[in-house]
Every structure is written in C-alpha cells, then in structure tokens.
C-alpha cells in the first residue's frame, strides 16, 4: 500500500489473523466496519496486519490531518484484501470435500475461529517443527499447505498400507489412514473439519 511517499505492507499472517479475531466483533466486525468506511476500523486493521508497526503508525499519522476521501478507497481495498487472505485456505477443493465429510459424519461440532488458529499454531510448531517466529509470520493458508504436504508424505511412508489399499483410496490428501483415524480419536477433533469451519467464514 503506497501513496504520497508513504508505504505500508499488510500481511495475512497467523499473528495478524489472531489480532483481527481479537478486535471487537472479531473478523466479521472488522469486515463490516471496513465496508462502512470507519476510520477506527481502518486503523485497527492496519495495526493488526502491518509487517512493520513503525511504518503503520507513520502511515496513519501522515493521513490523520487529511480528508478521509483522499485515501479511503485504496486503504479500504488493501484492508479488505488482507482479511480475505486470512480467510482463504490453501485448497478450496479439499475444503469442500472436508466439509462434505464432516456433514455426513454428524459427529463434530463447529469450532471457534480462535481454536482453529490455535490448532494451526500447534501443527506448525509441533508437527512441522517451525519456530514460533516462523509460525506467527506464516499465513493460515501457508500453514495448511505445509501441514497437508506433511500428511501426504507420512501417508506415502506408512508401511501398513498395501499398494492395493492405496489404489482404492481417493487420490487426495483427505483419505484417512488407520493411523490418522487413531490420532483423530485421541485428539478429539479432525483437522480437516477445522478447515471446513473456516470455509463457512468465507461466505461473510
């Protein structure tokens, strides 16, 4: 985002996603405030998603004594884009299949977005071995993509699946192995269903 010699970079990182969710009204409230062109909401979203807080404060200070109309459209577009990026998962097809499977099972309850972000953090730091700094800087979509690739690799390395079994499975990362089913039972939730909850938020 650049205008009148002031520049600012907004990023849909996990840190930004959590910060947006902690705003009054959460992400849905921020989205509504942006549509209403609320300067208070613009400021909150910018501070939550800016990669450099010094640049964010300088950008806001630069426009504080100028007419709102002079920067409203570009700022609104950038803020809406970063919220859309937060709510976009890595694979829409996988999301749709996961949502269908969750609906058919009827055994899971929707999880709050805050819990979903906590789950992503635990996957990145626990399963993927990322540092906290790397995890906070990555977007939810990036964490999902990396975790899906990690699960795909584990499935290919699982010796308990014969070639015949593998041929019978759908050619996607959403096929459950016995190990994954045991893990889901132990954890008490299905990570694919967490993504289905995020899919519903895209309709806001």
């Amino acid at each position: 985002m650049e205008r009148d010699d002031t520049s600012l970079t907004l990023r849909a990182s996990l840190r930004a996603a959590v910060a947006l969710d902690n705003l009054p009204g959460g992400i849905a409230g921020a989205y509504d405030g942006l549509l209403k062109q609320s300067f208070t909401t613009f400021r909150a979203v910018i501070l939550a998603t800016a990669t450099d807080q010094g640049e964010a404060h300088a950008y806001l200070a630069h426009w504080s004594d100028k007419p709102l109309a002079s920067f409203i459209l570009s700022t609104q577009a950038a803020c809406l884009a970063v919220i859309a990026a937060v709510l976009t998962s890595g694979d829409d097809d996988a999301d749709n299949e996961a949502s269908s499977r969750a609906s058919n099972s009827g055994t899971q309850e929707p999880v709050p977005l805050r819990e979903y972000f906590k789950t992503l953090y635990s996957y990145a730091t626990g399963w993927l071995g990322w540092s906290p700094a790397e995890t906070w800087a990555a977007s939810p979509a990036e964490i999902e993509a990396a975790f899906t690739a990690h699960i795909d690799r584990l499935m290919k390395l699982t010796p308990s699946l014969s070639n015949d079994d593998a041929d019978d499975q759908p050619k996607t990362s959403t096929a459950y192995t016995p190990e994954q089913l045991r893990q889901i039972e132990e954890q008490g939730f299905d990570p694919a269903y967490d993504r289905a909850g995020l899919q519903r938020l895209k309709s806001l």
Side-chain angles (χ1 to χ4, degrees):
M1 193 162 59
E2 188 170 349
R3 196 172 178 88
D4 283 6
D5 296 327
T6 62
S7 62
L8 182 64
T9 300
L10 307 182
R11 175 165 169 76
S13 64
L14 183 62
R15 184 187 300 278
V18 172
L20 289 170
D21 189 51
N22 286 332
L23 294 176
I27 293 179
Y31 179 81
D32 184 60
L34 291 174
L35 292 182
K36 294 178 179 177
Q37 300 185 342
S38 163
F39 180 80
T40 300
T41 303
F42 287 150
R43 184 179 188 279
V45 172
I46 286 172
L47 293 177
T49 62
T51 58
D52 186 304
Q53 289 296 298
E55 289 182 354
H57 284 287
Y59 182 88
L60 291 168
H62 176 81
W63 294 104
S64 63
D65 59 350
K66 295 177 174 60
L68 190 62
S70 61
F71 82 113
I72 191 73
L73 293 181
S74 60
T75 302
Q76 182 187 47
C79 290
L80 287 173
V82 77
I83 285 186
V86 165
L87 296 178
T88 300
S89 61
D91 188 340
D92 287 342
D93 291 337
D95 286 340
N96 293 336
E97 186 168 345
S99 178
S100 176
R101 183 173 61 243
S103 297
N104 292 335
S105 67
T107 58
Q108 299 287 346
E109 292 294 330
V111 297
L113 191 58
R114 183 172 303 178
E115 293 302 316
Y116 172 75
F117 292 147
K118 287 181 180 178
T119 299
L120 288 182
Y121 182 88
S122 67
Y123 285 170
T125 56
W127 284 69
L128 301 176
W130 295 0
S131 70
E134 291 171 329
T135 301
W136 284 122
S139 70
E142 289 169 340
I143 296 174
E144 282 195 11
F147 182 73
T148 299
H150 179 70
I151 293 299
D152 284 343
R153 180 174 180 275
L154 291 179
M155 289 178 64
K156 292 176 181 178
L157 297 176
T158 301
S160 61
L161 286 179
S162 67
N163 290 334
D164 291 339
D165 291 337
D167 290 338
D168 292 337
Q169 296 289 352
K171 303 301 183 180
T172 70
S173 62
T174 56
Y176 287 146
T177 67
E179 287 74 18
Q180 285 177 285
L181 291 173
R182 284 196 295 271
Q183 181 188 28
I184 289 170
E185 182 177 1
E186 292 171 359
Q187 291 180 333
F189 61 88
D190 179 353
Y193 185 68
D194 292 339
R195 295 190 310 185
L198 184 60
Q199 175 70 24
R200 290 192 295 274
L201 286 172
K202 295 179 185 178
S203 63
L204 289 175

